[in-house]
Amino acid sequence: TGDLDVDQHHTVEDLGIALGEAVAKALGDRKGINRAGYFVMPMDETLAVVAIDLGGRPHTVVDTKVKVRVVGDLQTELVHDFFEGFAIGARANVHVKVMYGRSNHHKIEASFKAFARALRVACAKDKRLAKMLPSTKGKAKLNSSMAHRPNMAQLKVKRLYSLSRNSLAISSTPNNKDVSHASQWLALLK
């Protein structure tokens, strides 16, 4: 139930993060997927476009052109929070743009439907790509002298060292059981 007694923010954002993490886990090493997908969704008078890149780095741009604070029971600013949460969880670029429309309900609905279709294309397997990794972004490893769960100071030092050598060898995979390190990894990506 999140903290709905306060507002919907954490519930919606956490749902986006959880869905993104589930997609990332389901894709595994992402070998053989299209990696990128887009969809243009017409919904009556509204047209929404969504593009997704599952290349390994989170980034979100959302422009729904929604002009009201609430649609139904949904606080409309949370649409961005959902897509941002998904992008972080899935390590994906997510771009959502409503080109035009009158109904705020249609703008949001078309955005989510276009998102689902774009995600389907990005996740789809392509036999021609079966043995190819779609990206190596975020795959470099810390050297063996680092602890298996490095602290933030170690990560920042490693990042500065790597950047000084014109490479981006900053990340390895944190221990999945250690949720407290997730915030460190997310902060490092900012």
Side-chain angles (χ1 to χ4, degrees):
T1 61
D3 53 2
L4 290 174
D5 54 318
V6 177
D7 67 17
Q8 303 167 351
H9 172 80
H10 290 117
T11 303
V12 173
E13 181 181 48
D14 289 350
L15 180 63
I17 292 169
L19 180 62
E21 288 174 348
V23 167
K25 185 175 181 178
L27 292 174
D29 66 7
R30 303 179 189 210
K31 275 187 183 172
I33 65 167
N34 287 327
R35 175 182 150 176
Y38 70 92
F39 197 82
V40 180
M41 183 73 195
M43 179 164 287
D44 297 337
E45 82 298 340
T46 299
L47 187 69
V49 178
V50 174
I52 297 174
D53 179 2
L54 298 169
R57 293 192 297 193
H59 190 80
T60 313
V61 177
V62 177
D63 179 8
T64 61
K65 298 193 183 334
V66 171
K67 306 255 189 253
V68 296
R69 197 177 82 68
V70 177
V71 170
D73 291 335
L74 177 67
Q75 298 164 11
T76 57
E77 69 182 16
L78 300 181
V79 171
H80 183 278
D81 297 334
F82 171 85
F83 290 123
E84 184 173 52
F86 177 87
I88 290 167
R91 297 182 331 273
N93 283 197
V94 177
H95 292 254
V96 178
K97 176 139 178 99
V98 172
M99 305 306 291
Y100 49 81
R102 180 195 53 78
S103 167
N104 291 302
H105 172 92
H106 286 167
K107 292 173 186 177
I108 293 171
E109 186 177 357
S111 296
F112 277 95
K113 287 184 175 183
F115 170 76
R117 298 283 183 99
L119 183 60
R120 178 194 296 174
V121 173
C123 292
K125 296 277 188 174
D126 184 330
K127 290 179 184 178
R128 297 170 294 180
L129 304 173
K131 296 183 181 187
M132 294 177 60
L133 282 173
S135 177
T136 56
K137 292 175 186 169
K139 301 291 185 209
K141 297 186 179 176
L142 295 171
N143 67 39
S144 59
S145 67
M146 296 289 201
H148 79 285
R149 289 189 297 181
N151 66 35
M152 192 58 156
Q154 290 171 319
L155 291 171
K156 286 185 177 181
V157 167
K158 181 66 178 175
R159 182 174 190 205
L160 289 172
Y161 174 76
S162 297
L163 289 173
S164 71
R165 296 184 50 167
N166 286 334
S167 65
L168 192 55
I170 61 169
S171 78
S172 65
T173 305
N175 184 333
N176 288 336
K177 295 178 183 172
D178 191 354
V179 177
S180 68
H181 284 277
S183 61
Q184 293 176 0
W185 291 99
L186 296 175
L188 186 61
L189 293 172
K190 291 182 179 177

